[in-house]
């Protein structure tokens, strides 16, 4: 009964984790550039019944399942026209490279909702909504314009490079593999060593859609179906725990 109790408990924990992953996907169904994260299950170690350990046996028993890893589905989402001057969508494979101006850390994203930011030195940079600078194909921050000394910032805005003219400057980065990509801070990604070095090329009109953003690739209907399935499995696992406990209680009652 201990084995059945343990198997049921492990299964409940695994499906609770799956429900958490599905809930996160559903919560980001309208987040631009978000990539769905499917969970991968694997079976726990099998053991022989009534046989010496490490010996072949026709009688084996498992110990439940667990969530082995959470993958990232990089399937492209639908195009959404925004009309915003510094919004871009990558059509096809690739990522924007963005850099933290304080730590110099470079991460990658599919979210192209950018803005201009005036720095104390009078330089306007192309930045993300959370203050990270967008890089070109040489991994340099993209400068949108400069404010002449004594100039009113509102007047300088009219002289900045347009979003259309920035298209050839924005770097699009690809990797030999994306299997090791790790999700970081919502829609940002960090490549693993096995993904290889980033390959950059200047963006052009064929790879970037101007005044548009990529929608999340989460299919709400499919996620709801997965949620119902996970809920049922969670309930069955708890039922196994409850039944095992009842059987154990009955056996202990017969012994007394």
């Amino acid at each position: 009964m201990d084995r059945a109790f343990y198997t049921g408990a492990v299964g409940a924990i695994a499906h609770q984790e799956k429900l958490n992953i599905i809930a996160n996907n559903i919560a980001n169904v309208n987040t631009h550039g978000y990539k769905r994260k499917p969970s991968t299950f694997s079976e726990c170690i099998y053991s022989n019944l009534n046989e010496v350990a490490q010996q072949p046996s026709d009688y084996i028993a498992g110990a439940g399942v667990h969530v082995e890893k959470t993958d990232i589905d990089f399937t492209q989402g639908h195009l959404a026209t925004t009309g915003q001057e510094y919004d871009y969508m990558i059509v096809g494979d690739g990522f924007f490279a963005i850099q933290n101006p304080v730590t110099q850390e470079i991460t990658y994203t599919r979210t192209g909702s950018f803005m201009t930011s005036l720095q104390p030195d009078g330089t306007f940079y192309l930045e993300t909504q959370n203050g990270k600078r967008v890089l070109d194909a040489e991994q340099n921050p993209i400068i949108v314009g400069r404010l002449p000394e004594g100039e009113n910032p509102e007047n300088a805005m009219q002289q900045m490079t347009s979003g259309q003219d920035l298209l050839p400057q924005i770097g699009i980065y690809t990797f030999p593999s994306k299997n090791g990509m790790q999700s970081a801070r919502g829609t940002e990604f960090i490549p693993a060593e096995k993904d290889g070095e980033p390959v950059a090329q200047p963006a052009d009109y064929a790879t970037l859609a101007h005044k548009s953003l990529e929608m999340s690739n989460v299919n709400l209907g499919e996620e709801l179906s997965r949620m119902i399935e996970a809920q049922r499995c969670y309930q069955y696992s708890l039922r196994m725990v409850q039944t095992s406990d009842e059987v154990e209680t009955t056996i202990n009652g017969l012994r007394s």
Side-chain angles (χ1 to χ4, degrees):
M1 287 302 103
D2 288 343
R3 180 186 296 275
F5 187 95
Y6 174 80
T7 301
V10 168
I13 293 172
H15 285 95
Q16 177 62 65
E17 187 173 350
K18 182 176 182 179
L19 283 169
N20 294 339
I21 295 170
I22 294 173
N24 185 63
N25 288 335
I26 293 176
N28 287 280
V29 68
N30 291 319
T31 301
H32 293 117
Y34 179 82
K35 296 303 176 185
R36 187 179 77 87
K37 297 174 178 60
S39 54
T40 301
F41 282 77
S42 65
E43 297 174 322
C44 296
I45 298 175
Y46 281 94
S47 60
N48 292 341
L49 295 178
N50 304 323
E51 291 287 346
V52 180
Q54 306 300 325
Q55 295 297 318
S57 172
D58 293 331
Y59 303 98
I60 58 176
V65 297
H66 71 283
V67 177
E68 181 179 6
K69 61 179 180 177
T70 302
D71 297 320
I72 302 175
D73 178 8
F74 284 104
T75 303
Q76 181 172 299
H78 297 294
L79 181 149
T81 302
T82 65
Q84 298 299 314
E85 185 64 23
Y86 297 105
D87 280 354
Y88 306 91
M89 172 182 169
I90 299 175
V91 180
D93 191 23
F95 298 90
F96 299 108
I98 55 178
Q99 185 176 47
N100 187 315
V102 177
T103 65
Q104 304 303 308
E105 178 192 29
I106 297 176
T107 53
Y108 299 86
T109 183
R110 294 276 300 187
T111 306
S113 178
F114 303 141
M115 58 183 290
T116 59
S117 175
L118 176 61
Q119 300 303 307
D121 63 357
T123 303
F124 283 92
Y125 287 98
L126 187 66
E127 294 188 350
T128 64
Q129 300 296 324
N130 59 355
K132 294 189 177 182
R133 293 175 183 172
V134 184
L135 304 183
D136 60 17
E138 304 296 329
Q139 291 194 343
N140 296 317
I142 296 176
I143 297 176
V144 183
R146 297 186 187 277
L147 179 66
E149 186 175 353
E151 182 73 23
N152 188 318
E154 294 183 359
N155 296 333
M157 292 287 288
Q158 302 174 358
Q159 304 174 4
M160 288 192 301
T161 306
S162 69
Q164 184 78 15
D165 292 336
L166 285 179
L167 284 172
Q169 298 184 39
I170 299 175
I172 302 298
Y173 289 78
T174 59
F175 294 87
S177 171
K178 297 192 289 288
N179 290 335
M181 281 275 189
Q182 296 295 317
S183 181
R185 294 176 291 277
T187 59
E188 296 178 26
F189 304 98
I190 300 175
E193 184 177 352
K194 67 178 182 179
D195 293 326
E197 293 297 321
V199 179
Q201 57 185 5
D204 54 31
Y205 298 90
T207 57
L208 273 184
H210 185 216
K211 296 184 179 181
S212 302
L213 290 176
E214 180 182 4
M215 293 296 295
S216 166
N217 66 350
V218 174
N219 184 310
L220 183 57
E222 292 181 358
E223 292 301 316
L224 290 175
S225 296
R226 295 186 180 98
M227 181 181 69
I228 294 173
E229 178 184 287
Q231 286 177 329
R232 293 288 178 84
C233 292
Y234 178 77
Q235 292 170 350
Y236 292 149
S237 296
L238 290 183
R239 181 68 59 84
M240 180 183 291
V241 171
Q242 180 182 0
T243 302
S244 299
D245 181 64
E246 291 174 352
V247 172
E248 188 74 25
T249 300
T250 300
I251 294 174
N252 289 335
L254 293 174
R255 291 174 178 172
S256 58

